[in-house]
Amino acid sequence: MTRRTDPTPGVRGTGRWHALVVAGTLSLLAGTPSTIAQADAESEITSRGSPDAAVEGYLDRLGLRELLASQLSDRLRQTGGDERKKIADRLSAIYVELLTSAPTDEARRGFEAKARELLRLVPEADSYELRINLSRASYLHAEEIAERARLRLTTPEENSEADKTLRTARAEFLDVATKTHARVELLERQEQAGRESEQLSRELAEARRLRSLAFYFAGWTDYYLAFLSTGEPAVRQASDAMRSFGWLLNSRGGNTASLERVQPEMFKYEHIARAALGCALASGIRGNDVEAMRWLRALSEAPSLPPSVRDQLFLRRLSVLGEAKRWSDLDVEVRRERKSDRDGGGAGVIPLQAPAARLLAVLTLEADRRIVGDVLDRLSRIALADLTARGEIGQVLDLVQRYGTAPIGENGFIVNFVRGVQTYEQARSEHKEAAPTSAEEPCTVDAIVTKYKQAAALLEAGLRQPDAGAFGAERARAARYLGLSLFYAGEFQAAADRFLEASRDSSLRDDAEESMWLAISALDRAARLGAVGAATRRDEAAALFLQTYGDSDRSARLLNALGTSGIISEEAAIRILLGVPRSSPSYDTSRRQAARLLYAAYRAAAADTRDFAAVRFLSVAEELLAAEKRAAFEAPDADKAAAAEKVVTRARQILDASLSTGTVDAARAAAAFDAIEEVSDRSSVDLAPTKAELLYRRMQLALRTGDPAQARATLQSLREAGGPYAEAGDRLLYLEAVRAWRRDPADGDARESVIELGSRIIDVLGAPEKALKEPGALALYATVAEAAAAEFAESGETSARSLAIRLDREILQVEPRAEGPLRRLAVSAEATGDSTTALECWITLAAGLKPASDPWFEARYNTIRLLLTVDPAKGGDAFRQHKALYPELAPDPWRSRFQALQARIPPPAAPVGETP
């Protein structure tokens, strides 16, 4: 298929017309591209064993046709004699393949230039097929122009160009046809003389194929020359076409093609069927419309007609009947095709396809209405209505511009719609002329605003017409034009109502999306002007847009403009923003917005999802940091500080996310520090406000990379700076010390660090009654007390014991039954000689523990032991009571300890009045 050109602004659908009417690849082209001579040349070239031949054989086997063509072209310039022609023949065959399979117009033009150069260098080459293919490319372009001319979509200059191109191509096709015919006759005489052979049969078949191909294109070239001509020249050209087609339709020898000489079953071959189609069209130009319809009827009745040909039959019947002014017959054809009644209506009406509707409109609008005006009027209205129903409003406007509004009548949806759009387009043209730099803004020129309102009134009237319901797609389009008219007139909320209506009624996703987007834009304008309720309506429409068209680039633009608060969930917004392709103009903005949301999500993440949230953020932030750093380096001097600030802010976020989670990303953190240093060296950015934070991050990095000495040194600098980051540094080192001590309880340095740093943090927290209400404070107090008690046990340092006692007492003020502090305080108090406090702790512990458990036996033992010291009589009673309940005293290891206490038990006191 050739490229599509469409010079008429706003007119759509001509590409589909071309798909239906332009001759495609022929079955004739399916044969092998190489002639026998070319095959022989290839065999001889590749059989000589030369290095060049080896390379060419290798390229040929791999199917590298372009490289092979280049190789042969180079050899052609270095070779003479008979071998030069053989190489040229081979190269010609390859160019045929490349021209046929060229993926783009540009590639095809390149191959055409090389092929023409070959013909110039070696005119004696066996290159008939190459010549046909080169002329075919020009022909197809001219054919496309001619078919658009049928629909009145070309200029006189284009028609003249097509005529000139066709005449040049015709001469080439006929020259090839004449020469291949002579070769066919020569080979046939040899065959008749009894010189039959397999090679002769192959050569004869190839010559006949090329002759048919040349006459096929000669016939179509003659037809289109006839179509673009008038009078006797047109008839003469059409007759030539019939003679050329005769070579394919069993009327050889220059005879005019005749339907009687064609077997219907032959129409299953596409090139035969297309040749018959050409005969029908040529017969029409010759004034023999009856014969033309016979050809078309024979094709329609063929048992196995190719679909590509069958699809053209209705269009060709329209052309023949229209040119013959057989309006009644044409009316019948249209009703049959549309499945409609005489008035064009009916329950099962199928609108004509756009090319057919356009052709029907052209034929009827250009016809003489003096005789059958009623039929023509009805057919032209049907044509325009079907174009409208097919969404081809551009074509309707073009036809109305060419032929006036009379064909569309005075009432109904179509007339109001078309006139409304015309008025809108006029207003837009005047608007752009009056305000060329702000034509997308609402108009401020009263006269133009009035015209916009007139367009709106016409479109509104169209939507209220009784027949508007029959035009679903165009009703939605009318609502959108109405919305645009109101928008440019400055009536934003009313415009939004119409845009939303258009979005609801649109059956096409792109149209519905466009309309909803326009509604949001209109409501945003109204909101910024303070219109009551406009902001709420805008956000509701935005939420619906994001839910419906989340994969659209506009969704990201919407989020970038309005944010996400109250419109859509943060997660959904992130998904939309990250889905914007790199090629989109809003990619950078969307990534920044996504990074903002991802960082907020990381900061708000729960402990079990924090690492994942950090990774998501870092994957986006790293890319942004690199871009922002480049921008800072390239910024003008006046903007360098602000650009550098962006880099510092992004780097601080990366440091936070990469160093504050369980999975540390030291490489990203180091890169972030490097970025800060680079921009600070090149700009006047002030890092003083972030000095403490950056010291804290360096301390984190030192700890996470196994350099505690550097971390302590950094902490000292951090303490000198003071503030919350100094306190955070203490906590950070404290936690590291706790981890080290837990890993190795015998690590005295770690234990001392826990005591030192923990005590410092406790002091900062202030009074215990207030501090212990803070989250994590109880655990802090307990850990430091535990470390202090362990330090006393290890070193006998009484200050450590005093610290443990103080902290445990403060914990027990808040948690009186806390097991760890009770046990530690009992031990520490007893070590100071305070047996009473120790006894109270063990009694409290025993009361809270599960009876007969190991910890309970421990507490019970220590309670009885201390009672025996403080009050032996009570201690003895307590022991006897315990033994009564537990005759075995306790399981090991506590049994032996209870047994040792038994020796200290005093006898029970005698009852009063009795002698012991």
Side-chain angles (χ1 to χ4, degrees):
M1 185 176 291
T2 58
R3 70 185 191 281
R4 172 188 172 190
T5 55
D6 189 349
T8 309
V11 178
R12 300 180 293 153
T14 54
R16 282 176 283 173
W17 162 263
H18 185 61
L20 289 172
V21 302
V22 173
T25 302
L26 304 177
S27 300
L28 285 167
L29 296 176
T32 174
S34 300
T35 62
I36 300 304
Q38 290 164 345
D40 290 343
E42 178 183 0
S43 175
E44 184 169 343
I45 289 171
T46 57
S47 66
R48 297 188 177 189
S50 69
D52 286 335
V55 171
E56 289 159 13
Y58 176 74
L59 295 175
D60 193 20
R61 287 193 300 275
L62 292 181
L64 302 175
R65 315 309 280 169
E66 290 188 51
L67 288 177
L68 180 57
S70 179
Q71 171 80 358
L72 289 171
S73 180
D74 290 341
R75 286 191 62 198
L76 184 70
R77 288 172 170 78
Q78 302 168 8
T79 306
D82 292 341
E83 188 171 350
R84 175 181 173 85
K85 182 178 181 303
K86 293 173 182 177
I87 294 173
D89 290 344
R90 171 75 173 126
L91 185 55
S92 171
I94 294 174
Y95 281 145
V96 169
E97 296 178 35
L98 293 174
L99 284 167
T100 303
S101 61
T104 64
D105 286 346
E106 182 180 359
R108 182 178 180 85
R109 285 193 293 270
F111 296 141
E112 286 177 5
K114 292 177 180 179
R116 294 188 190 283
E117 176 66 9
L118 172 65
L119 294 177
R120 187 187 67 80
L121 290 173
V122 192
E124 70 274 17
D126 186 3
S127 54
Y128 291 138
E129 185 158 16
L130 183 58
R131 290 173 61 189
I132 290 172
N133 270 272
L134 288 172
S135 296
R136 175 177 176 269
S138 300
Y139 156 78
L140 288 174
H141 176 61
E143 178 195 59
E144 182 181 7
I145 295 174
E147 287 298 345
R148 288 193 295 109
R150 193 189 303 276
L151 301 178
R152 307 302 184 262
L153 292 172
T154 56
T155 63
E157 291 76 16
E158 287 180 301
N159 294 343
S160 176
E161 175 197 348
D163 183 87
K164 181 179 178 181
T165 300
L166 288 168
R167 293 187 186 281
T168 301
R170 177 181 186 270
E172 187 74 2
F173 290 138
L174 287 177
D175 183 62
V176 172
T178 301
K179 290 177 178 178
T180 53
H181 176 57
R183 179 164 177 77
V184 168
E185 289 183 324
L186 173 63
L187 294 172
E188 285 177 343
R189 286 195 296 271
Q190 293 178 2
E191 187 178 54
Q192 291 166 3
R195 297 169 56 186
E196 294 184 17
S197 68
E198 185 176 343
Q199 180 176 335
L200 179 63
S201 298
R202 286 199 304 268
E203 290 181 3
L204 181 56
E206 178 67 8
R208 285 169 175 167
R209 184 182 74 85
L210 291 173
R211 181 182 66 181
S212 295
L213 193 59
F215 275 122
Y216 174 89
F217 281 114
W220 276 108
T221 303
D222 278 323
Y223 163 71
Y224 280 112
L225 283 169
F227 173 76
L228 293 172
S229 304
T230 57
E232 184 57 32
V235 174
R236 186 168 57 253
Q237 209 81 54
S239 298
D240 289 344
M242 295 284 287
R243 283 189 287 273
S244 291
F245 287 136
W247 285 96
L248 287 88
L249 299 173
N250 206 28
S251 295
R252 299 174 184 175
N255 295 315
T256 299
S258 170
L259 184 59
E260 283 69 22
R261 296 183 63 85
V262 184
Q263 298 297 321
E265 58 268 19
M266 294 298 293
F267 290 145
K268 66 181 178 181
Y269 300 109
E270 187 171 5
H271 64 290
I272 299 295
R274 287 183 181 276
L277 200 61
C279 289
L281 294 172
S283 296
I285 290 177
R286 296 172 71 196
N288 196 343
D289 54 277
V290 174
E291 183 68 11
M293 293 302 292
R294 285 186 65 225
W295 280 103
L296 292 174
R297 190 177 304 109
L299 285 168
S300 67
E301 294 172 355
S304 300
L305 190 68
S308 62
V309 178
R310 189 173 298 280
D311 289 343
Q312 292 189 47
L313 293 180
F314 175 68
L315 290 162
R316 299 317 188 183
R317 283 195 289 268
L318 288 184
S319 294
V320 170
L321 293 174
E323 290 169 1
K325 299 178 177 53
R326 291 170 54 176
W327 305 117
S328 296
D329 291 335
L330 189 146
D331 184 27
V332 172
E333 290 286 346
V334 169
R335 279 190 277 123
R336 183 183 296 121
E337 183 73 11
R338 297 177 76 248
K339 296 181 172 45
S340 65
D341 56 28
R342 289 187 62 86
D343 295 324
V349 173
I350 302 173
L352 296 177
Q353 295 294 327
R358 171 87 188 195
L359 179 58
L360 179 61
V362 167
L363 291 170
T364 55
L365 292 173
E366 292 182 351
D368 187 345
R369 285 176 149 65
R370 288 174 296 181
I371 301 175
V372 287
D374 56 336
V375 174
L376 293 173
D377 288 343
R378 184 174 69 254
L379 290 173
S380 61
R381 283 196 299 271
I382 287 172
L384 293 171
D386 284 359
L387 281 172
T388 303
R390 292 290 182 184
E392 301 289 342
I393 185 60
Q395 299 222 42
V396 175
L397 292 173
D398 176 67
L399 291 167
V400 168
Q401 185 177 358
R402 287 173 180 270
Y403 304 110
T405 59
I408 59 177
E410 297 297 327
N411 298 304
F413 171 79
I414 293 296
V415 62
N416 286 281
F417 178 35
V418 171
R419 288 173 178 166
V421 174
Q422 279 186 313
T423 306
Y424 167 80
E425 295 290 356
Q426 291 168 7
R428 286 299 290 148
S429 178
E430 294 174 16
H431 188 174
K432 291 175 182 177
E433 184 176 349
T437 61
S438 59
E440 299 308 314
E441 298 294 317
C443 190
T444 57
V445 180
D446 290 344
I448 301 175
V449 170
T450 298
K451 186 160 288 187
Y452 276 127
K453 291 182 177 179
Q454 290 172 350
L458 286 166
L459 292 162
E460 182 72 47
L463 290 169
R464 291 198 304 266
Q465 294 299 310
D467 65 340
F471 300 94
E474 291 313 308
R475 189 174 65 248
R477 196 182 300 271
R480 188 163 67 187
Y481 274 113
L482 175 52
L484 288 168
S485 300
L486 293 169
F487 178 87
Y488 289 120
E491 298 181 12
F492 301 124
Q493 295 224 57
D497 291 338
R498 290 312 193 178
F499 288 140
L500 290 172
E501 177 184 341
S503 180
R504 288 191 299 270
D505 291 345
S506 294
S507 58
L508 298 178
R509 184 187 190 277
D510 289 348
D511 288 348
E513 177 188 334
E514 172 76 14
S515 296
M516 192 178 294
W517 177 258
L518 292 171
I520 295 168
S521 300
L523 289 169
D524 187 53
R525 293 291 189 114
R528 283 189 274 137
L529 292 174
V532 177
T536 300
R537 293 188 63 202
R538 177 201 62 199
D539 291 350
E540 290 172 350
L544 180 59
F545 186 95
L546 293 168
Q547 293 166 9
T548 309
Y549 308 109
D551 58 343
S552 168
D553 182 58
R554 285 176 171 147
S555 289
R557 288 161 55 192
L558 187 58
L559 288 170
N560 291 328
L562 299 180
T564 61
S565 179
I567 296 179
I568 193 174
S569 72
E570 302 293 308
E571 189 58 38
I574 290 170
R575 185 171 61 253
I576 290 170
L577 292 166
L578 292 181
V580 175
R582 190 178 293 274
S583 58
S584 169
S586 63
Y587 176 79
D588 292 338
T589 305
S590 299
R591 300 300 274 191
R592 287 193 292 272
Q593 179 81 326
R596 183 185 67 79
L597 295 175
L598 286 168
Y599 185 67
Y602 152 72
R603 297 289 295 177
D608 59 342
T609 60
R610 193 170 175 80
D611 282 11
F612 173 69
V615 170
R616 291 179 75 198
F617 165 71
L618 289 170
S619 64
V620 177
E622 187 175 41
E623 174 190 357
L624 290 174
L625 179 65
E628 288 162 350
K629 190 168 67 172
R630 287 194 301 272
F633 294 159
E634 297 168 2
D637 290 342
D639 300 330
K640 277 193 180 296
E645 285 288 355
K646 291 182 180 179
V647 174
V648 172
T649 299
R650 185 74 64 200
R652 287 166 56 205
Q653 293 174 343
I654 290 174
L655 288 170
D656 179 18
S658 60
L659 295 173
S660 301
T661 58
T663 305
V664 176
D665 195 333
R668 277 187 171 135
F673 278 124
D674 290 343
I676 292 173
E677 290 174 359
E678 288 180 54
V679 296
S680 64
D681 289 343
R682 299 194 189 191
S683 68
S684 57
V685 61
D686 184 9
L687 295 179
T690 60
K691 178 181 178 181
E693 178 188 348
L694 295 177
L695 283 171
Y696 175 73
R697 299 303 181 197
R698 288 194 181 279
M699 183 179 161
Q700 283 184 301
L701 182 58
L703 283 175
R704 295 307 182 89
T705 54
D707 192 353
Q710 179 60 45
R712 291 191 191 95
T714 305
L715 177 59
Q716 188 58 41
S717 300
L718 193 55
R719 284 173 177 169
E720 292 172 4
Y725 280 103
E727 298 172 12
D730 282 331
R731 292 192 184 94
L732 188 62
L733 267 185
Y734 162 75
L735 291 172
E736 186 65 26
V738 170
R739 282 191 286 268
W741 181 46
R742 296 298 186 200
R743 287 194 300 269
D744 182 8
D747 186 345
D749 291 339
R751 185 171 62 243
E752 289 176 6
S753 293
V754 171
I755 296 170
E756 176 206 348
L757 294 166
S759 298
R760 188 182 186 91
I761 297 168
I762 288 170
D763 290 343
V764 171
L765 290 176
E769 59 271 15
K770 179 181 178 182
L772 288 169
K773 294 179 181 178
E774 296 292 329
L778 278 171
L780 169 65
Y781 271 59
T783 302
V784 176
E786 182 185 357
E791 179 66 20
F792 170 71
E794 180 70 24
S795 65
E797 179 63 48
T798 57
S799 61
R801 181 182 64 191
S802 298
L803 176 61
I805 291 172
R806 177 172 67 83
L807 295 177
D808 282 331
R809 284 185 183 279
E810 288 166 353
I811 293 171
L812 292 171
Q813 290 295 318
V814 179
E815 295 284 344
R817 293 183 177 277
E819 183 177 348
L822 282 169
R823 181 176 280 103
R824 280 193 306 273
L825 182 56
V827 174
S828 299
E830 186 175 358
T832 64
D834 186 358
S835 297
T836 302
T837 298
L839 178 59
E840 289 174 356
C841 288
W842 287 117
I843 290 172
T844 304
L845 262 175
L849 293 170
K850 181 181 178 183
S853 63
D854 278 354
W856 182 85
F857 280 117
E858 176 194 17
R860 188 65 177 157
Y861 163 76
N862 283 301
T863 299
I864 296 172
R865 180 179 60 79
L866 288 170
L867 271 174
L868 287 171
T869 300
V870 174
D871 189 340
K874 287 185 179 180
D877 291 342
F879 183 87
R880 283 186 287 272
Q881 184 184 30
H882 177 82
K883 186 173 183 179
L885 292 171
Y886 299 95
E888 298 295 325
L889 296 180
D892 289 330
W894 297 106
R895 179 182 296 131
S896 60
R897 298 184 186 183
F898 274 101
Q899 288 172 345
L901 284 180
Q902 192 167 1
R904 296 173 52 192
I905 303 303
V912 178
E914 290 188 10
T915 301

